[in-house]
Amino acid sequence: MPAQDVQEIRQLVARRKRWDKVFAILGLLSMMVGVMTLLALIIDMGIDGGGRLSWDFFTSYPSRHAERAGILSAWVGTALVMLVTAAAAIPLGVMAGIYLEEYAPRNWLTNLMEINVTNLAAVPSIVYGLLALGLFVYQLDFGQSILSAGLTLALMILAVVIVVTREAIRGIPAAIREGSYALGATKWQTVKDHLLPYSMGRILTGIIIGMASAIGETAPLITMGALTFIAFLPPAPVESGFPYLSFDWLFAPFTVMPIQMFNWVSRPQAAFLENAAAAGFVLLGMTLAMNALAIWLRFRFRKRGNW
Amino acid sequence: MDETLNKLYFRSLVDSEREEAPTPEAHDLRKLKAEAKGLSFYYGEVAALKAVNLPVAEHQVTALIGPSGCGKSTFLRAVNRMHDLYPGSRYEGGIRFYPDDIDLLDKDVDPIEVRMRIGMVFQKPNPFPKSVFDNVAYGLRVRGERNRRLLVEKVEQALRDAALWAEVKDRLDDMALNLSGGQQQRLCIARALATEPELLLFDEPTSALDPIATASIEDLIQGLKARVTILIVTHNMQQAARVSDYTAFMYLGELVEFAPTKTLFTNPSDRRTENYLTGRFG
Ligand SMILES: Nc1ncnc2c1ncn2[C@@H]1O[C@H](COP(=O)(O)OP(=O)(O)OP(=O)(O)O)[C@@H](O)[C@H]1O
Ligand SMILES: [Mg+2]
């Protein structure tokens, strides 16, 4: 090849590589915007509320005296509501996802259902609050309880669970599925022995990310009528006498972390703002912990199934 | 021993005007394991198989050859009703299955029953992301076998039959995906053998493998035919010549010629077969 051509190629490569660099810088900047915002949030809340973070803060009920107030009822409420949400959304969503992906006949009715599911994800959360008020609180008479709240958030993340389940199952190569059927497996055997186990990592990840977004939801719960000031805990789920387990807590009034924050923020005294920041810090910690769990799960399951 | 069978089939295929099915005495049913009769298959409106007639002799290796896209895989997947997994396809004609003489494509014949009797090995090794043991045991477990001792026994036997035992006997609990490609394919063969199918379908089982792994699988196929009838699709004409007793040449969805392998390769009766064999197309 003549030397001149080589020169030309080099120039061409150099020119194209300039765009590489430009994009790398733009990408880096965009990423920094996200990362910096998160960092700033954490630091800001840490500075504002860090002073309030103590053991007492976690074990005290809210109070009219800012320095004595804590988040006991709020974090217990959040934990219990999330428990109900998970217990309702996971089986419903996973089963619906499996049905749509594996069992549903391909026809207009299925298409209609699919469109509905997709739209479900786009419904504003406050609308779920209205639905919950009408359906769970009044129609089914669950009251403004942990059960109603958990079910409301479950409905909210149901679409996400269905979609991640379908996508996880769809991600399994047809060859694996055919391998199972070719051995004479039934549909259900194929689902339970292959499709579900191999996609579990991705399904769980999606569910946890859905839950992490639900944990901070305030609007639907306030619409539904959650209380903003609760100075007691729901009844314990375990009892000393027969039948040892109690589900009374499901029907107890409650508050959750973001509502507690909302309550504090709306007070005029600066000391309550400090509390709100501290609670925000804790809530953020909860969300990040859930995301970390999701990452860990994905990592664990990836080591198992990889094709 | 198959002389009559060959001659009769050979003639009936060449003589394509003849509409009626071969008379019962035209071939010895005891020697047939399966037989496609006027099998047509449609993906939607597209015909991928056109009135295919193909006998599969029991305890023999029948090879299907032909250029890419001629319908070899489509035929194979009709035999174990794999097409039923996907909507929008349609069969015409039938595939008789002996000795009980049922039509595999009959609406009343459950595809699961068909797949329990007919095993399949795919082009690309497709072990489950489970242990070696669980892979081979899967077919038995699907059939409800829970007896651990029996499972261990049958898994070992299947792995021996697939010439894999020596290599994996110390790593039965390892992930199957950690095996080499050739080992994975033999694992898939073991998996299919464990349930003792009557007919085993191979869809280009060696096309993803190197020559050594290919040779070991070809040996295996030769050794297996005492126990199971084999129908193999291959792109590789040398392979068909090496492993099969009968060969069918397909072209554009039609079965052009069926004959004992030696006859088909040395003295093809159809021009298209000859062109294909001499590398003029495909
Ligand atoms: N799922 C499908 N939908 C529609 N058409 C298909 C489908 N699968 C295969 N076909 C078509 O049917 C014809 C036969 O395909 P088939 O896979 O049986 O060919 P083949 O002989 O196995 O080829 P190869 O040697 O490349 O594997 C081809 O024309 C192909 O395009
Ligand atoms: Mg093919």
Side-chain angles (χ1 to χ4, degrees):
Chain A
M1 191 182 284
Q4 205 195 338
D5 284 5
V6 175
Q7 277 305 318
E8 218 167 276
I9 287 174
R10 283 194 184 139
Q11 274 171 12
L12 205 68
V13 170
R15 204 172 327 137
R16 282 187 299 160
K17 275 179 114 174
R18 260 206 300 282
W19 281 107
D20 263 354
K21 275 207 197 91
V22 168
F23 181 79
I25 290 168
L26 278 177
L28 188 70
L29 283 176
S30 320
M31 193 195 68
M32 290 309 261
V33 171
V35 172
M36 288 318 233
T37 313
L38 183 63
L39 265 183
L41 261 173
I42 293 175
I43 292 171
D44 186 50
M45 280 197 294
I47 292 172
D48 287 353
R52 292 289 297 125
L53 284 177
S54 67
W55 184 247
D56 282 344
F57 189 63
F58 287 92
T59 57
S60 307
Y61 291 111
S63 153
R64 269 178 294 128
H65 307 283
E67 60 285 357
R68 264 191 264 147
I71 55 169
L72 178 60
S73 49
W75 75 255
V76 170
T78 287
L80 292 178
V81 168
M82 280 296 122
L83 197 68
V84 174
T85 302
I90 295 176
L92 278 181
V94 171
M95 285 196 284
I98 291 174
Y99 175 79
L100 277 177
E101 196 56 33
E102 287 299 312
Y103 284 84
R106 294 273 156 260
N107 57 23
W108 63 271
L109 195 67
T110 309
N111 288 341
L112 193 71
M113 284 200 289
E114 273 172 26
I115 292 168
N116 260 316
V117 167
T118 325
N119 285 337
L120 215 56
V123 175
S125 62
I126 195 155
V127 175
Y128 282 107
L130 278 178
L131 170 77
L133 189 64
L135 183 66
F136 300 136
V137 178
Y138 295 126
Q139 207 68 42
L140 297 175
D141 208 16
F142 292 160
Q144 288 152 347
S145 61
I146 292 177
L147 181 62
S148 298
L151 293 179
T152 310
L153 296 186
L155 278 186
M156 226 186 73
I157 67 167
L158 193 57
V160 175
V161 178
I162 294 176
V163 170
V164 294
T165 301
R166 296 190 62 183
E167 261 157 26
I169 290 181
R170 210 178 304 153
I172 295 173
I176 296 278
R177 202 180 301 241
E178 291 186 357
S180 172
Y181 284 119
L183 285 167
T186 60
K187 214 170 243 194
W188 170 240
Q189 283 172 325
T190 304
V191 166
K192 97 176 148 51
D193 297 334
H194 304 286
L195 305 186
L196 260 187
Y198 308 157
S199 57
M200 207 28 108
R202 286 178 63 191
I203 294 178
L204 284 178
T205 308
I207 288 172
I208 290 172
I209 288 173
M211 302 256 295
S213 77
I215 207 173
E217 273 300 339
T218 325
L221 299 188
I222 289 184
T223 313
M224 193 205 88
L227 298 179
T228 55
F229 188 95
I230 291 273
F232 54 85
L233 286 183
V238 219
E239 286 176 340
S240 53
F242 190 79
Y244 305 109
L245 276 182
S246 157
F247 289 98
D248 288 346
W249 59 272
L250 281 172
F251 298 97
F254 68 98
T255 191
V256 291
M257 295 286 292
I259 294 182
Q260 183 66 70
M261 282 174 67
F262 182 68
N263 174 278
W264 281 334
V265 170
S266 54
R267 305 265 185 116
Q269 299 94 322
F272 278 111
L273 280 183
E274 237 177 82
N275 283 350
F281 200 76
V282 174
L283 185 59
L284 196 64
M286 286 174 151
T287 320
L288 292 182
M290 287 176 86
N291 284 339
L293 180 66
I295 291 169
W296 179 76
L297 277 172
R298 196 160 22 181
F299 179 73
R300 251 208 63 190
F301 279 94
R302 186 174 300 154
K303 275 198 294 193
R304 267 217 292 143
N306 214 345
W307 36 74
Chain B
M1 69 175 202
D2 308 296
E3 228 19 61
T4 39
L5 172 75
N6 305 335
K7 249 188 257 154
L8 287 162
Y9 253 99
F10 198 44
R11 217 178 298 140
S12 76
L13 286 165
V14 170
D15 183 8
S16 53
E17 265 81 282
R18 220 174 60 179
E19 269 295 291
E20 76 272 21
T23 47
E25 63 274 16
H27 53 264
D28 191 344
L29 284 184
R30 273 169 309 171
K31 287 184 185 158
L32 278 190
K33 186 65 209 168
E35 181 183 29
K37 285 185 171 174
L39 175 64
S40 296
F41 181 83
Y42 301 85
Y43 290 109
E45 288 310 308
V46 188
L49 296 176
K50 298 165 195 158
V52 168
N53 294 305
L54 174 71
V56 179
E58 189 163 28
H59 292 302
Q60 299 283 300
V61 177
T62 304
L64 268 177
I65 61 170
S68 187
C70 69
K72 306 180 297 292
S73 299
T74 303
F75 180 83
L76 216 59
R77 294 163 64 86
V79 177
N80 70 343
R81 299 276 295 266
M82 225 49 181
H83 295 302
D84 288 37
L85 296 178
Y86 304 97
S89 55
R90 188 161 56 84
Y91 306 95
E92 266 167 27
I95 304 176
R96 307 303 307 181
F97 194 60
Y98 305 109
D100 39 346
D101 195 18
I102 54 170
D103 180 1
L104 293 175
L105 303 181
D106 195 324
K107 289 272 171 295
D108 296 331
V109 174
D110 193 325
I112 292 170
E113 174 193 321
V114 171
R115 297 183 200 125
M116 285 174 77
R117 299 178 63 178
I118 301 178
M120 183 167 198
V121 175
F122 297 80
Q123 173 167 2
K124 241 182 87 202
N126 61 345
F128 304 129
K130 295 179 184 290
S131 72
V132 168
F133 184 90
D134 287 343
N135 261 278
V136 183
Y138 188 67
L140 299 164
R141 289 195 168 129
V142 156
R143 287 155 177 74
E145 187 54 67
R146 290 285 171 273
N147 182 337
R148 179 81 194 172
R149 232 194 48 231
L150 209 100
L151 284 176
V152 169
E153 229 167 68
K154 291 203 166 179
V155 166
E156 173 174 346
Q157 191 52 49
L159 285 167
R160 282 186 192 283
D161 291 341
L164 189 60
W165 176 248
E167 286 153 79
V168 301
K169 65 173 190 286
D170 299 320
R171 42 193 299 207
L172 292 176
D173 293 327
D174 268 24
M175 280 298 277
L177 297 168
N178 294 338
L179 300 178
S180 76
Q183 288 172 330
Q184 287 188 14
Q185 193 60 304
R186 275 176 288 152
L187 181 72
C188 293
I189 295 174
R191 187 172 72 183
L193 284 176
T195 56
E196 299 173 22
E198 298 162 51
L199 172 62
L200 198 45
L201 311 171
F202 287 87
D203 193 352
E204 302 191 43
T206 61
S207 66
L209 304 180
D210 67 36
I212 294 174
T214 299
S216 78
I217 292 198
E218 286 179 8
D219 286 347
L220 191 60
I221 289 171
Q222 278 295 309
L224 283 176
K225 73 179 193 188
R227 299 189 19 219
V228 51
T229 304
I230 290 170
L231 180 57
I232 178 173
V233 163
T234 173
H235 242 118
N236 179 329
M237 285 178 272
Q238 285 77 33
Q239 181 167 75
R242 279 192 300 263
V243 304
S244 72
D245 303 292
Y246 296 93
T247 300
F249 171 65
M250 288 183 68
Y251 186 61
L252 297 177
E254 283 177 61
L255 194 132
V256 171
E257 188 167 351
F258 170 82
T261 299
K262 215 178 277 160
T263 316
L264 188 123
F265 276 88
T266 54
N267 188 18
S269 68
D270 193 290
R271 172 127 327 247
R272 290 169 290 179
T273 316
E274 197 181 328
N275 285 344
Y276 182 68
L277 292 175
T278 52
R280 246 166 280 174
F281 60 74

